[in-house]
Amino acid sequence: MSLDNDASRPPFLRPVDELLDSLEVARERGLSAGTASRRLEETGPNRLRKSGRKPWWRVALDQFKSLVVILLLVAAAIAAVFGQLVEAVAIAAALVINAVIGFVTEWKALQSMEALRRMGQMSARVRRDGEEREVPSSELVPGDVVLLGEGEMVPADLRLVEVENLQCNEAALTGESVPVSKTTDPLEDPETPLAERENMVFSGTAVSRGGAEGVVVATGMDTEIGRISAMVEEAEEETTPLERRLEGLGKRLIYLVIVVGIGVAASGIVAGKDLLIMVETAIVLAIAAVPEGLPIVATVALGRGMWRMARRNALVKRLAAVETLGATTVIFSDKTGTLTENRMVLRRVALAAGDTEVSREDGDARFRLDDEDVDPQKQDDLRRALRVGVLCSNAELEDGGGASGDPTEVALVEAGARAGLRRPDLLRELPEEREESFDTETNKMATFHRLEDGFLVAVKGAPEAVLDVCTRVLEDGEETELDDAGREVWVKRNETLAGDGLRVLAVAEKRAARADEAPYAGLTLLGLVGLYDPPRESVKEAIRTCQEAGIRVVMVTGDQSATAANIARAIGIVGADDESAPMGGHELGDLGEGDPERAEKVHETAVFARVSPEQKLSLVGAYQDRGEVVGMTGDGVNDAPALKKADIGIAMGRRGTEVARETSDIVLKDDAFETIVTAIDQGRAIFENIRRFIVFLLSGNLGQIVGVSAAALVNAPLPLLPLQILFLNLLLDVFPALAIGVSRGSADIMRQPPRDPDEPILTRGHWLGIGGFGLLMAAALLGVFAWALLVMKVDTGTAVTMAFLTYGLARLWHVFNMRAPGSPMLRNDLVMNLWVWGAIALCAALLAAAVYVPPLAALLQVTPPNPAEWIVILAGSLVPLVLGQLALAVLGRR
């Protein structure tokens, strides 16, 4: 909480003395113990609010919220009441398995607030009653004077009152990719973005260099991380497209069940059938209209997708999220650590002779000047510039390939090592005698190195600061005078490098007679070095694949506009010739104000820079309001609210904060954007499989309903008895559908556009397919039944057996009618799926057992057919397959 008496003026706008007076604290003494105690009672502990965790029984209960599941529960109850115990037990077992799988996979996804709270469990060094003390960070109050040192976490939001070369790593909170230098000067603009509040440090960030004193201005939920915590709590977790589609299907099935039950019973009674038999048949057919296998097959298909994704480094925490990624139409991607490597490398060295480009190939640096390779060891000006970058540093390269130190210095030391200028070797040749540490007041750093006849002074720093103290420049191997005109040329070169999204430093040197000489006078400018956070090597291809699949990739970053634009062009989010500037956070305003022109501009923009956590959240909501299915990637605390709000939140597993990982739906173990492409491919295949097995289940069940209803209407014997219908559904609604559910999907699935987010799980074409296939199987059922009675003149019991086997086999072959139109008839994902052949073999064996195992045959009232009857059965069962394949071939050509 905050005790600031002038809430209209944020702390970063106010001079230090004024702020200390308002907080009633003297910097030299800090708060008294009594004052701190009273304030702690008033403001509460410096902790994030503990949100109510969903209990385990709520998670379990949520597994039964789907309309399809509720409908099956009702169906199981009705079956039990009317003595159909086999069907009741089968439905109940399927529902229990479905609930267990869903519960286990979702229980671990409820830790986001715990992760946020853990960030606050630390101690802090404070000054109280004139003495330095260490207290739990939870006991900090506004007005406390906190002391910070290198490597420490910031325990609350502080207004800095004294700094000593202070730099902080704020990437997790702001998206800024490099450590931020801090000052104590008040700022002037009330709209200064969080990433540019240079006189503030924030709870949960880390001190990467130097030390400081700061006064606490906000604790607990009033800190920046607290506001993000509140947004995570308040962000509505969207229901996934699959969940919405299954709900819509459930509503349709309710109407279908009612119509089937009433229609069959009425038709049979009107035709003079026995009332009890027709009521029983109507109930069985009504239950059969509901695909018992749907929830468990959908759950298993999603679970199988989770397993496949885990093998590809994508950990899925929520079952329905597997399919949602396949429906994604736009991906909001953070830049730092997601599209880039989250480390600095040397990109360009601007010398008097021209710009030397630095690239990496197979781990080695390649230096090119005017499109020709140059050897740094033979190019004196380049060698001297790189040498200063290596010497004027505190970074160290480790034997195992790692590095320690400031990211910028690490980049310079690495580039030097690749050019043959290894820091240990240079220090043996030029021992360091003195260091003038980087100072935010001078924006420079210097080191003195012993020579035989004096000292070499190596200097690096902000270009403007270094240029001001340079009197000469290295040009063509000679040191020439640097006048105002020459200095202006270098200022423009600095602006060019910065405009390309590079972080620019100037490097200079001089000779000194003594180690105690002033370091920043009479320097010779060697050049400018431009560094950047490079794009991941494979991300450009991954983005191209997304674009081919009709998925927009939009960069949303807290980093600077020029940096964001440069990376976006390099990886193909925008065209290489696109010079349009990214939209800044200050341009977004309130996306809910209803400005159509701005809303359209926002929707067409591909790069957003300097965006706050609130604006990320608003962007996700604005796109969702336009009907988009939004994926959001991120790795920082600042990404957590948007990760939760998005239809699918994707966090980085290696570099991502625990908050981001716990809030997301999917965690990428390798932090690779291309893993998202693999997951999208899998998600699309899963939805295609779910759609196919629903068509398979409903068309098969419809054939039974039509066949039995038609026989009842003409007062003919029923071709299938109630218990036979239950047996067929128990057998064929699960195993073949499961096999379809684990298919790999169509080969061209990533060349198709995303599905319309408003498209139901079954389109008009699918319902026509269900009707057509259902009529084909009903025709095969009734055709064989009529042939047996009228042509072969067999008794009704034998005719029913032939109809029973015909229908069972027809539904098995019907699996192959679920291939995509246009796919090869003999080489498609279903024919190549060993699970399909295993399901067919198992079901065929069980069908044979139904007629050849006496107890089961007696229960089902069937008899073993003779060879002639088997020929008719097999021929009749193949009719739906043959006609179905012809229809698919015609559709494929169209």
Side-chain angles (χ1 to χ4, degrees):
M1 295 188 175
S2 173
L3 286 181
D4 193 348
N5 295 325
D6 187 357
S8 63
R9 293 191 66 213
F12 60 85
L13 298 180
R14 302 168 70 178
V16 170
D17 291 342
E18 178 188 322
L19 182 64
L20 291 173
D21 287 344
S22 71
L23 292 169
E24 300 176 4
V25 61
R27 177 189 152 198
E28 297 77 12
R29 291 193 56 78
L31 294 176
S32 68
T35 301
S37 179
R38 285 194 301 274
R39 290 188 181 181
L40 187 61
E41 290 182 11
E42 295 171 13
T43 63
N46 178 33
R47 291 197 203 102
L48 301 181
R49 182 170 56 241
K50 191 165 184 174
S51 60
R53 272 185 77 176
K54 187 186 289 187
W56 67 267
W57 57 268
R58 276 288 304 278
V59 178
L61 194 62
D62 284 349
Q63 309 307 314
F64 295 91
K65 285 168 59 176
S66 164
L67 264 179
V68 173
V69 172
I70 293 171
L71 189 58
L72 284 170
L73 284 170
V74 173
I78 293 173
V81 168
F82 283 88
Q84 307 299 334
L85 295 180
V86 174
E87 182 74 358
V89 171
I91 296 173
L95 292 177
V96 168
I97 294 171
N98 174 68
V100 168
I101 295 173
F103 174 83
V104 170
T105 54
E106 292 180 17
W107 174 243
K108 293 183 179 179
L110 302 175
Q111 311 297 323
S112 60
M113 289 297 91
E114 287 297 323
L116 278 168
R117 283 191 291 275
R118 280 193 287 274
M119 293 188 71
Q121 296 174 1
M122 62 184 84
S123 59
R125 290 184 296 128
V126 300
R127 187 176 292 131
R128 286 185 181 171
D129 292 316
E131 298 178 355
E132 183 179 323
R133 302 179 184 175
E134 189 164 306
V135 301
S137 62
S138 60
E139 295 180 9
L140 289 179
V141 296
D144 260 325
V145 176
V146 176
L147 290 76
L148 296 174
E150 190 167 315
E152 294 181 345
M153 296 291 288
V154 180
D157 284 4
L158 311 179
R159 168 67 163 90
L160 295 169
V161 298
E162 182 180 339
V163 297
E164 184 179 345
N165 303 327
L166 181 67
Q167 289 187 332
C168 289
N169 185 343
E170 298 179 348
L173 186 65
T174 66
E176 178 68 58
S177 56
V178 296
V180 181
S181 297
K182 297 294 182 176
T183 70
T184 60
D185 299 330
L187 305 180
E188 296 180 359
D189 184 2
E191 302 299 321
T192 302
L194 192 68
E196 296 175 11
R197 296 178 191 171
E198 297 173 347
N199 57 14
M200 297 282 297
V201 290
F202 304 102
S203 177
T205 62
V207 176
S208 58
R209 169 182 280 178
E213 288 184 20
V215 61
V216 175
V217 295
T219 60
M221 295 301 290
D222 282 346
T223 61
E224 292 299 325
I225 196 174
R227 292 191 312 104
I228 294 173
S229 168
M231 283 191 289
V232 173
E233 287 180 344
E234 294 163 8
E236 296 179 5
E237 195 161 4
E238 297 292 311
T239 56
T240 67
L242 178 61
E243 290 168 332
R244 294 194 291 269
R245 290 180 176 109
L246 287 176
E247 289 299 294
L249 177 63
K251 292 175 183 176
R252 292 192 176 199
L253 290 178
I254 288 174
Y255 300 131
L256 179 62
V257 167
I258 295 171
V259 169
V260 167
I262 295 174
V264 172
S267 62
I269 293 168
V270 168
K273 295 282 186 185
D274 179 82
L275 176 63
L276 186 60
I277 291 292
M278 286 316 302
V279 169
E280 182 184 8
T281 303
I283 291 170
V284 169
L285 285 176
I287 293 172
V290 184
E292 291 90 339
L294 176 56
I296 188 170
V297 174
T299 301
V300 170
L302 293 171
R304 170 84 169 171
M306 288 177 67
W307 176 73
R308 283 180 178 167
M309 288 187 189
R311 291 174 62 196
R312 303 287 187 90
N313 291 314
L315 296 178
V316 181
K317 297 162 54 185
R318 184 180 172 203
L319 276 177
V322 177
E323 181 275 335
T324 306
L325 196 55
T328 300
T329 59
V330 59
I331 296 175
F332 285 153
S333 179
D334 184 35
K335 177 187 72 68
T336 306
T338 305
L339 300 175
T340 65
E341 296 181 4
N342 195 23
R343 67 190 190 94
M344 301 302 289
V345 299
L346 181 63
R347 173 66 183 274
R348 195 176 302 165
V349 183
L351 306 168
D355 287 359
T356 299
E357 297 290 336
V358 185
S359 60
R360 295 173 300 159
E361 295 184 7
D362 299 325
D364 293 325
R366 184 180 183 186
F367 299 86
R368 293 179 65 81
L369 175 64
D370 297 329
D371 293 327
E372 291 186 6
D373 287 344
V374 295
D375 183 351
Q377 296 286 1
K378 298 177 181 177
Q379 191 90 8
D380 185 60
D381 53 353
L382 178 59
R383 182 185 63 81
R384 287 169 68 176
L386 291 173
R387 184 178 68 177
V388 165
V390 175
L391 290 174
C392 188
S393 170
N394 288 306
E396 299 289 345
L397 300 184
E398 298 168 0
D399 293 337
S404 61
D406 178 86
T408 301
E409 293 186 348
V410 168
L412 293 172
V413 172
E414 284 182 339
R418 291 192 170 101
L421 300 169
R422 294 172 178 80
R423 181 169 165 81
D425 297 339
L426 285 178
L427 289 177
R428 277 192 293 271
E429 180 185 342
L430 302 166
E432 183 177 317
E433 296 292 330
R434 172 188 167 194
E435 177 182 317
E436 194 76 18
S437 298
F438 178 84
D439 189 337
T440 54
E441 297 293 327
T442 64
N443 276 328
K444 295 184 287 291
M445 174 185 178
T447 53
F448 286 69
H449 301 269
R450 181 171 293 282
L451 299 169
E452 288 184 4
D453 56 350
F455 296 89
L456 171 70
V457 183
V459 176
K460 77 173 190 301
E464 303 87 350
V466 174
L467 280 169
D468 283 345
V469 292
C470 284
T471 57
R472 294 180 301 280
V473 61
L474 183 65
E475 195 169 350
D476 296 328
E478 301 289 333
E479 295 185 8
T480 61
E481 183 181 353
L482 181 64
D483 56 20
D484 289 342
R487 192 172 281 107
E488 186 61 30
V489 169
W490 283 98
V491 168
K492 292 188 181 302
R493 294 186 73 178
N494 171 42
E495 292 172 352
T496 300
L497 292 176
D500 288 339
L502 302 179
R503 187 184 188 204
V504 188
L505 297 174
V507 288
E509 66 179 23
K510 72 172 181 176
R511 297 296 179 97
R514 301 187 315 276
D516 59 355
E517 280 191 24
Y520 305 131
L523 295 173
T524 298
L525 178 69
L526 302 178
L528 305 174
V529 292
L531 305 103
Y532 80 134
D533 181 7
R536 292 176 174 274
E537 291 184 5
S538 53
V539 78
K540 186 172 184 178
E541 178 65 21
I543 287 174
R544 186 185 64 79
T545 303
C546 283
Q547 291 167 342
E548 287 180 354
I551 301 166
R552 286 185 65 203
V553 180
V554 177
M555 182 192 292
V556 183
T557 178
D559 214 335
Q560 299 180 39
S561 179
T563 305
N566 186 60
I567 293 294
R569 286 191 290 269
I571 61 180
I573 286 181
V574 298
D577 299 327
D578 189 336
E579 296 298 327
S580 60
M583 180 177 279
H586 64 282
E587 300 176 69
L588 286 174
D590 185 356
L591 296 178
E593 287 183 346
D595 182 342
E597 275 189 37
R598 186 176 52 176
E600 192 60 35
K601 182 181 178 183
V602 166
H603 194 256
E604 292 174 355
T605 298
V607 183
F608 297 89
R610 281 295 192 235
V611 177
S612 69
E614 295 94 333
Q615 289 167 332
K616 287 186 179 183
L617 192 62
S618 297
L619 278 170
V620 171
Y623 272 68
Q624 287 173 331
D625 290 343
R626 293 180 68 105
E628 304 274 12
V629 177
V630 179
M632 172 76 194
T633 76
D635 59 357
V637 176
N638 59 324
D639 300 315
L643 286 171
K644 184 177 180 183
K645 171 69 175 172
D647 296 287
I648 185 79
I650 309 160
M652 303 298 112
R654 287 182 181 173
R655 292 187 175 94
T657 60
E658 189 172 2
V659 179
R661 293 195 298 269
E662 294 294 346
T663 309
S664 63
D665 301 299
I666 293 177
V667 178
L668 304 183
K669 291 192 293 184
D670 56 1
D671 285 11
F673 187 88
E674 56 271 24
T675 301
I676 299 174
V677 177
T678 302
I680 290 172
D681 178 272
Q682 189 61 49
R684 288 187 172 192
I686 287 168
F687 184 79
E688 182 181 70
N689 291 339
I690 289 174
R691 187 171 254 174
R692 289 195 295 186
F693 70 62
I694 290 175
V695 171
F696 173 79
L697 293 173
L698 293 184
S699 57
N701 291 357
L702 180 63
Q704 292 174 327
I705 295 167
V706 171
V708 172
S709 300
L713 277 172
V714 299
N715 202 21
L718 297 180
L720 294 173
L721 302 179
L723 198 57
Q724 293 172 352
I725 293 171
L726 298 180
F727 179 82
L728 288 173
N729 283 357
L730 179 64
L731 193 67
L732 302 170
D733 271 11
V734 177
F735 298 112
L738 276 174
I740 294 172
V742 297
S743 292
R744 292 194 175 274
S746 306
D748 65 343
I749 202 163
M750 285 301 284
R751 292 191 289 274
Q752 300 170 10
R755 299 186 304 278
D756 183 341
D758 296 324
E759 181 180 282
I761 198 165
L762 296 178
T763 64
R764 181 172 175 271
H766 292 111
W767 284 110
L768 289 174
I770 289 169
F773 285 131
L775 290 175
L776 276 178
M777 283 190 285
L781 170 70
L782 293 173
V784 169
F785 188 58
W787 184 273
L789 288 175
L790 303 176
V791 178
M792 300 180 73
K793 303 294 184 181
V794 299
D795 60 84
T796 302
T798 301
V800 167
T801 298
M802 293 176 67
F804 167 77
L805 290 171
T806 298
Y807 196 77
L809 291 173
R811 286 199 64 182
L812 285 183
W813 316 143
H814 183 44
V815 169
F816 299 111
N817 285 333
M818 297 300 103
R819 69 178 175 89
S823 61
M825 187 179 297
L826 299 179
R827 289 191 63 82
N828 56 68
D829 62 315
L830 292 175
V831 173
M832 306 301 290
N833 184 348
L834 294 179
W835 291 104
V836 166
W837 293 104
I840 288 175
L842 175 62
C843 292
L846 292 173
L847 278 174
V851 292
Y852 290 112
V853 175
L856 188 55
L859 181 66
L860 295 174
Q861 301 179 46
V862 293
T863 55
N866 61 37
E869 292 163 355
W870 267 118
I871 291 173
V872 174
I873 291 166
L874 289 171
S877 70
L878 288 170
V879 168
L881 174 64
V882 173
L883 295 180
Q885 292 298 307
L886 290 174
L888 288 171
V890 172
L891 285 173
R893 290 195 185 94
R894 291 179 57 186

